[in-house]
Amino acid sequence: VGHMVAAAKELRRRDLDILIPAREEALFRATYPAEQYHQEMFTNLFIDTLATKRGFPPGLDWTFGPVLVRARHAYHWSAYHGQLWDAQVVPFIRAVLWHGARIGGMPVPYKHASVMKREEEHEHRWAQKRFDQLSLWVSLLPREFEATKSPQS
């Protein structure tokens, strides 16, 4: 919660509509299951290859769950009927591309629960989940970033 208070102040200070806190890399690497760390780092780099070409700031931590959104843009999440993890990211993309939302990030010293690392690291079913997440991002997100008009969702 402490990170979110600082993030809310940053959202207001920078006059953003969406702020995605970014995990500090050393803590991210140290406290997450190895498979999740590598998959999410790669996913963030993959999304950046698409997003920066459309004017998004580089280096957003697209795969970090807690985000801040101004109330006027919250409807993008309730209006989007995604498959799974895309419901986290596609609304950001659409809010920025088609509705003028301003997006940014800021680093936070987030530490993941050690019990989750112990339970998930080097376990096939969790590694498979990471692969499935990456497959979804790769199959779906290029269409979102390459669209030339607003989707009807």
Side-chain angles (χ1 to χ4, degrees), residues 139-152:
S139 69
L140 189 128
L141 293 182
R143 285 193 309 265
E144 290 294 330
F145 283 108
E146 294 165 0
T148 57
K149 62 180 183 171
S150 178
Q152 297 299 317

Side-chain angles (χ1 to χ4, degrees), residues 56-68:
F56 286 76
L60 292 175
D61 192 351
W62 295 92
T63 56
F64 194 36
V67 299
L68 287 89

Side-chain angles (χ1 to χ4, degrees), residues 1 7-8 16 23-24 29 36-37 39-40 42-43 65 71 75 83 90 92 111 114-115 117 132 141 145:
V1 174
L16 296 171
R23 297 163 283 196
E24 291 178 357
R29 180 185 287 268
Q36 184 174 1
Y37 166 78
Q39 180 266 331
E40 291 188 9
F42 182 81
T43 297
Y75 73 92
Q83 298 174 38
V90 170
F92 297 149
K111 293 181 184 179
S114 60
V115 67
K117 182 171 181 161
D132 293 344
L141 293 182
F145 283 108

Side-chain angles (χ1 to χ4, degrees), residues 17 46 50 53 60 79 81 118-119 121 132-134:
D17 296 303
F46 170 73
L50 300 165
K53 290 177 179 154
L60 292 175
H81 303 288
R118 281 192 309 274
E119 289 177 4
E121 194 166 55
D132 293 344
Q133 288 172 320
L134 180 58

